[in-house]
Amino acid sequence: MRAIDREGTFPSPLSRRSRDIHPSARRVARVVSVVAIAVAALSREARAEPALADYRTFRHLAIDLLGRPPTRAELAAFARSGFDLGRWIDAGLAGPGYAERIRRIYTDLLKLDLPEGANPFTPPSVVLRWTRIQGPDGRMIDLYFRDAQRRKLPAIDGQVCFTPAETGLEVGPDGPPTGTPKPVARALLDERTVVVKPWWLYADHRDRDPRDRAGPDWLRRFGYELAWSLFTEPDGKTPMTAIRVCREEAQIADTGRVYASGRVVQKSDPLLPGRRTRLPADTAFARANAGRPVSCLGAPGFESSLDCGCGVGLERCLPAGPAGFVQPWLVPLGVDQPFERAARPAALWMRTWWSQEAIHFLDRIFGDDRDVRELLTSPATTINGPLAQFYRFLAGATCCGDGAELGYREAEPLFDPAAVPANLLPHQVSTWATVDDRGPHAAGVMTMPIFLLKYPTRRQRAHAIYSALLCRDFVAETARLQPSDEPDLARRPGCATCHRRLEPLAAYFARIRESDWTYLPAAQFPVAQPRCASGDPARMAGACRTFYDPAFTDARSAELRGAHGDPAHAEAGPRGLAAEITASPLFASCVVQNVAQGLLGRALTPDDEAWKAGLSRALVASGYRVRPLVRAIVMSPRYRDRAGALPEPGASGTPSAPGTPGAPSGPGAPSAPPGHPVAGAAPSTAPRAQVVPAEAMLRAYLTWFGGLSPEQVVQRAHGDHRFDAWSYYLAALGLPDYHVDAPRISQSSTVMVAALGRLGEALCAYAAEHDLHDHPPLPARAVFAFEPAAGPTRDQFAIGFDVLHQTFLGYPARLAPADRVDRFHALYRQVAARHPSGRLTSDETAWAAVCTALVQHPEAELY
Amino acid sequence: MRRRDALRLLAGGAAAAALRPTWSAAQAQPDDFFLFIHAGGGWDVTLWADPRNQRRGLIEPASPGNTDTGGLEHWKPAGDSFEIVTAAGSSLALGPAIGKLFDLRDRLTIINGIAMNTVSHEDGTSYSTTGRHRSGGAPVAASVDVVIASELGTAQLMPDIAVRWPSAFTGDGLDRRSVPLRVGTVDAITRSFERGAGPLDAPDRDAITALLTHQARGLARRAAQPDALDQLASQHQALPPLIGGDFTRAFSPRQLQVAYPEFDTHGLLGDPVMAAPFALEAFRRNIARCVGFGVGWFDTHTANQREHARRLQELFGVIAAIVRRLDATPHPTRHATRLSERTHLLVVSEFCRTPQLNPAGGRDHYPNNSALVISPRFRPGVHGKTDPDQLLPVGVRRFADGVRPIAPPDLLATFVAAFGIDPRRHLRDGEVVRELLA
């Protein structure tokens, strides 16, 4: 038996060359590829039966490149003479598992998701609130309206389009109406409301006569379904075929006229009878522009016009409600493979897709092997129907607030609505289209809503990019802060240690509002604003105080908030930050560091410096393509060394005294997440086992047990109460939680062991029923793909055991320690003896026990 | 002199007698329990520990204009702001968000003016709980719960449970049995130990567990780096009593709600509050040494600052309810001893919020902090202070490296030393602040 490394058929071309690397990085890359080709050819001709270390490396490769351990068929192919590992790796590098693996490194760094209750997207101009009134025939009917909608009739201006006197119902700030309903007269109903076939009910809502109504097949066709509350009339039975909307909201014009009532409203005015709020006052903008055209696509049109509605099929609005859309959640394997679905409010609907936009963006870079600098520089993105709707119609809703006082009335978008494919409709959640150019302000992930909300302040944004993409931190170990009047943190004693670097970086985000994506154009928001000049900055108010910093204001001008670190950076915007970061010599080495640490499962050490430098040069020479980098890493001896994390049968390790209180745990305990140094100890290059990433482990379980989808697992086993909800398992498996910034866990815990045990026991029982009890033909058996003997002898047992061993541990049982078969056979006999009869036979139960033990075996859970 | 040098001096015996290590005289207390709470997001200390009710310097105090005062038990208007909360016979001066904890004021040890030197959530969280700033984006030292679990908790079934508590198991000198169970909810713990009605039963599971423990130990014996395998063996070994006993029933959220109705998950803090009764039950049954949990949403940069005080009041209500339960519960192993006599609470956040309001009506991150300890080992009262104009930490005592404010490593060193643990074993920095100790 020849080991791959001894044969040289599993090459480490780059590392072997790194000691005498040529100064020309391009030459390095060429050398790499030549050696790789030679070695690949060698591997086709010279390989014999793999050794245990080879199997383990193959398992690592499968987990990293395919996102799951190898199948029995893949192991069989690997073991065959002539297996071309280089080609197999290249095929893996071209697949989605690889892209996901590398994306995960960056999502773990950037954590692009939001806490459950944070930042619900509910600007009043796009939220269609729901209430109920009693129709002329006495039946309750749903009614949609916008809070603060301008209406001509004072009694209903800014409120729902009926008074309490007309309906008998009081519409509160949220929730269902209160009171005793009374029928609304037909004429009044038709005067105040319109029947509309909305986008969430009709796929062809833009047609004159929409007919393609939402139904159960929408989940298959479009990837989402409506919650029943949006699908049926209030009686819960009658299919909802259209909805009633207040007349103003149903308008479809793109442009309206500015409306000013001329009314003067004081805060001290009493509430008029029947009104929940005071009458809306005219905005300064409305007073100054009455009668002029205004766009209906932004908040100013909504606030200052009677003519601006929700557009065709209400496409410019989202239906509010506690549970409008059945959304995927718990999606560690992707949004198309959810572990749970739940009816969720529309306020969270968009957030789901903001997060998915970043995932698709990263997948495109890594899957298509694009220049990794595009993370920050790319004007492109990939969007689906809801995102198209958001960028076309909804994003401008957060503009412009009191910016209108400074002349900012229509949003200058980060994503040009004209660039959105017009044929991408809101219900097409599974249709993703690439937009090559979002507009002049777009800069990779930095101008996406999910990034801008995850990191709401300018400094947070700069910090996130600086640390994730330059691998640097802002840490002031010994700074002593003293009270000081210095407003410039880059100068203030103590603060300057970090802020000297941070403030200029944060200035790149000065033109994007904090906690928002609203862009602040130079025309309305010059860095130095004479209009806001003040000899007494403490008295600054209104828009000046909102957008300009009193600390940097004097009698001549005021300075745009955040620009003080470097006014030129404010003008350059996020694209300027992208240029600065990607031009840094640290950028390439940080990419190498992040990717290498992720794949090696350990921190890089000074011993790795030369190797890392060579990889960095090769990365630059390759045009910043990550795929060749990953190929070089996985073909290096360092990667192959990972196989040593688990011992060979004949190995003798260092003596240990496990469980001795206070006993040192050895240098560099495996406690830091992959890719981070383990602190408190000298960094070590010695391989160390860690738990298989939770995503790969979940995919392994689904693959092992017959290619089930997460939902199928629940459906199939529900009758036996083996599963209730995946969320309990997922929470215990060490997945990172980007919502709350909980990091990925790379070491096992008792809860994790228990959760995997629970999963394994239930799935092995299912497999025993399916494969053994039901006894389908061999090819249809997922786990027990052998013909079991009743009361098997040791040798008969060993045949079936080997199938399971390969399935779960990734190598033949004959390479395991000599006593392994005997010990599992003993377990088999012990369990079989205890279960002479039952739903399963004693042999079937015993095989379920063997399966349950193997699926939780240390060599299955660690790698 | 840097703090780490000071510790080295202490280690070399060159320190003055006044700095004699506290732990040298203390005994390890294997029947103490520890509860750690993280107020995630950065709390506003001017609303409780370090109250400010006057506009001065940078200080823009809470007022009805920026704070929802409805429902605040101790809000009494005074001018534009509030009246400081005091009581006859007590020197404590607290803010209006202190809530029901005010009734326990004689047991509170409040440390103000903690120098954080950071305004990063991640870094502040690590600094508060490990005493070290982050490096490479990751914690570089063990968190205080891990240190205590490693030193005092390894005999427990679950030495350290971290429910959204930022536990870090990092560094040398730690017993691997103290690896924290890090989970998002207590449900994840209890559900994971449940087993359905399949073909296998408890004896089968015990046999499987024994086999897997043996397999892991066998691999560990031959491994060059055996720790992960040893750890797995210990974890398999710990399973049978957790799966086979009444653990999952007693710790189910429903049962906890029935047994501990005073903990309400319907408030602003939500479900994470359930970790409190979980901890109480775990201590009562003597199966955990340390429980840490996190409650969130104190990061109020915008108009959500308005409800910051109510959030704090809820948190302090939870803490008060915990203490009252501890008072009413006998210690599981010590005769005639209440659990509260042997249970110690440390409540931290990553930093405090700016004394001034931002244009959105919120408060941003600020490199000062306060912490709360409730422990019979600690001396009640307020320690440390901040300057009157800018809420920045002020040096209040002489440390080995000169006069400076208390920093997180000092508090953590003091905390672990109070239980007989030599802080030098786990903390690079920090001095024991003897005046904090009872």
Side-chain angles (χ1 to χ4, degrees), chain A residues 332-605:
Chain A
L333 302 187
V335 72
D336 53 346
Q337 219 179 345
F339 282 76
E340 301 282 356
R341 291 178 193 272
R344 329 227 35 216
L348 299 178
W349 178 243
M350 278 304 157
R351 218 173 59 185
T352 300
W353 306 117
W354 294 338
S355 178
Q356 289 299 311
E357 180 184 14
I359 286 172
H360 279 77
F361 176 76
L362 295 172
D363 280 351
R364 180 168 177 262
I365 290 176
F366 299 122
D368 294 352
D369 201 26
R370 303 179 70 86
D371 185 334
V372 70
R373 291 174 295 183
E374 289 188 12
L375 281 170
L376 304 181
T377 62
S378 177
T381 189
T382 304
I383 58 173
N384 67 350
L387 287 164
Q389 178 191 27
F390 173 76
Y391 287 122
R392 283 187 78 194
F393 301 123
L394 310 179
T398 59
C399 181
C400 303
D402 50 6
E405 291 176 31
L406 297 172
Y408 195 34
R409 295 185 192 98
E410 290 191 17
E412 183 172 326
L414 291 174
F415 191 135
D416 181 2
V420 176
N423 58 353
L424 203 47
L425 300 174
H427 55 274
Q428 292 177 307
V429 303
S430 299
T431 304
W432 290 86
T434 295
V435 175
D436 291 327
D437 189 354
R438 285 174 281 169
H441 304 306
V445 75
M446 292 188 291
T447 52
M448 291 180 184
I450 191 69
F451 177 83
L452 296 169
L453 295 182
K454 177 73 181 189
Y455 303 102
T457 70
R458 294 176 285 270
R459 291 180 183 128
Q460 283 179 302
R461 292 165 184 172
H463 181 197
I465 295 300
Y466 181 75
S467 59
L469 295 169
L470 292 187
C471 298
R472 291 296 177 97
D473 271 322
F474 293 107
V475 172
E477 280 270 5
T478 55
R480 298 250 178 116
L481 296 173
Q482 302 292 335
S484 164
D485 294 331
E486 174 57 61
D488 185 352
L489 297 184
R491 295 184 177 189
R492 186 167 166 151
C495 301
T497 311
C498 298
H499 285 267
R500 193 180 297 123
R501 183 78 181 99
L502 178 58
E503 296 303 292
L505 295 175
Y508 285 115
F509 289 100
R511 294 209 169 280
I512 302 178
R513 284 195 76 172
E514 297 193 329
S515 303
D516 194 7
W517 47 78
T518 297
Y519 185 78
L520 305 175
Q524 291 87 9
F525 301 96
V527 167
Q529 172 67 278
R531 282 179 66 179
C532 292
S534 172
D536 184 3
R539 290 179 172 274
M540 281 171 71
C544 282
R545 192 174 183 85
T546 303
F547 296 100
Y548 287 87
D549 195 336
F552 302 108
T553 293
D554 57 28
R556 286 176 299 170
S557 71
E559 191 167 64
L560 186 66
R561 283 186 181 273
H564 189 76
D566 191 330
H569 287 183
E571 302 302 359
R575 285 192 164 188
L577 178 60
E580 180 176 332
I581 295 285
T582 56
S584 165
L586 296 174
F587 179 79
S589 69
C590 184
V591 171
V592 171
Q593 181 174 318
N594 284 330
V595 173
Q597 291 185 157
L599 293 172
L600 298 183
R602 64 169 174 84
L604 297 187
T605 72

Side-chain angles (χ1 to χ4, degrees), chain B residues 1-11 400 428-429:
Chain B
M1 183 189 294
R2 294 161 67 92
R3 270 170 281 155
R4 74 184 75 166
D5 297 327
L7 274 178
R8 284 201 196 100
L9 261 182
L10 282 171
R428 186 192 69 177
D429 306 327

Side-chain angles (χ1 to χ4, degrees), chain A residues 68-209:
Chain A
R68 55 162 175 76
T71 62
R72 286 193 302 268
E74 287 163 342
L75 288 169
F78 174 68
R80 274 197 290 273
S81 177
F83 180 76
D84 188 339
L85 187 61
R87 179 176 291 178
W88 187 88
I89 287 173
D90 286 337
L93 288 169
Y98 155 76
E100 184 206 304
R101 176 72 186 88
I102 307 304
R103 179 238 293 162
R104 221 163 50 219
I105 291 171
Y106 280 91
T107 49
D108 281 1
L109 287 167
L110 290 169
K111 299 171 279 202
L112 293 177
D113 214 335
L114 296 166
E116 188 71 3
N119 302 94
F121 179 63
T122 56
S125 63
V126 306
V127 174
L128 270 174
R129 282 193 56 196
W130 160 91
T131 189
R132 274 178 183 161
I133 58 174
Q134 194 172 42
D137 59 1
R139 285 187 306 152
M140 297 303 290
I141 54 177
D142 287 347
L143 175 67
Y144 287 85
F145 69 102
R146 291 190 289 191
D147 262 334
Q149 173 72 50
R150 298 306 307 265
R151 309 185 202 281
K152 190 110 186 179
L153 199 62
I156 54 174
D157 190 5
Q159 299 192 160
V160 68
C161 50
F162 293 99
T163 65
E166 290 164 341
T167 62
L169 295 170
E170 187 93 36
V171 177
D174 51 31
T178 56
T180 305
K182 62 182 185 183
V184 176
R186 168 63 63 185
L188 184 64
L189 185 68
D190 291 341
E191 175 195 324
R192 299 269 178 85
T193 67
V194 176
V195 175
V196 175
K197 292 186 171 181
W199 63 265
W200 62 86
L201 266 181
Y202 287 89
D204 53 351
H205 63 273
R206 290 184 188 169
D207 289 356
R208 183 183 296 271
D209 183 20

